[in-house]
Amino acid sequence: MNAQPLIDSARLKFSGISSEDFEDIPDIGETRTFTITAQCTKHIEEQMANEGTRKIANMKIEKILIGVDKRINEEAPVEPNLFDSPVEPDPEGDEDETPSNVAAFTGPEFSADE
């Protein structure tokens, strides 16, 4: 056999589940076109049965849109997470006042103290 020159290309393997919900569920066997963004998570190189190697890039799905859609490049709004710091109060703003229906806390009272 003649050794063929290696072509520096790879197959893509997608994994993950869409964070978007789709109401129009495709039928089994139906083919649909999607626009996706995905992040490469791993490179794999495997030996082929006959000759050479095959490169595979594992891709984790981040966003899916139905059809060919240029909105895929739009940035999603930033949502706060558990570790975000709270918004600092305005130093020149009014001080927080205790509402009139809140009494001062005096601590617990026990009957054994009598």
Side-chain angles (χ1 to χ4, degrees):
M1 280 189 214
N2 291 340
Q4 301 211 354
L6 293 176
I7 299 173
D8 195 22
S9 64
R11 302 278 178 110
L12 299 179
K13 181 178 181 180
F14 292 94
S15 65
I17 197 166
S18 69
S19 59
E20 297 82 16
D21 290 328
F22 297 99
E23 293 178 8
D24 185 18
I25 302 171
D27 294 327
I28 302 288
E30 180 180 352
T31 300
R32 294 251 178 119
T33 301
F34 295 95
T35 303
I36 67 167
T37 56
Q39 179 183 35
C40 184
T41 58
K42 184 186 339 181
H43 288 156
I44 301 171
E45 195 168 317
E46 38 183 49
Q47 186 68 36
M48 299 298 292
N50 295 333
E51 182 178 311
T53 60
R54 173 184 288 161
K55 294 180 182 179
I56 299 171
N58 282 8
M59 306 295 291
K60 180 180 175 227
I61 295 171
E62 293 180 340
K63 184 176 181 180
I64 300 176
L65 298 175
I66 294 177
V68 178
D69 197 330
K70 293 182 188 235
R71 291 180 302 152
I72 198 79
N73 295 322
E74 294 176 2
E75 292 291 325
V78 178
E79 296 182 14
N81 66 38
L82 180 63
F83 303 107
D84 285 344
S85 59
V87 177
E88 295 296 324
D90 183 12
E92 297 177 7
D94 296 333
E95 293 295 320
D96 291 336
E97 295 181 11
T98 304
S100 60
N101 63 345
V102 175
F105 180 72
T106 57
E109 295 180 14
F110 300 99
S111 59
D113 290 340
E114 295 176 1

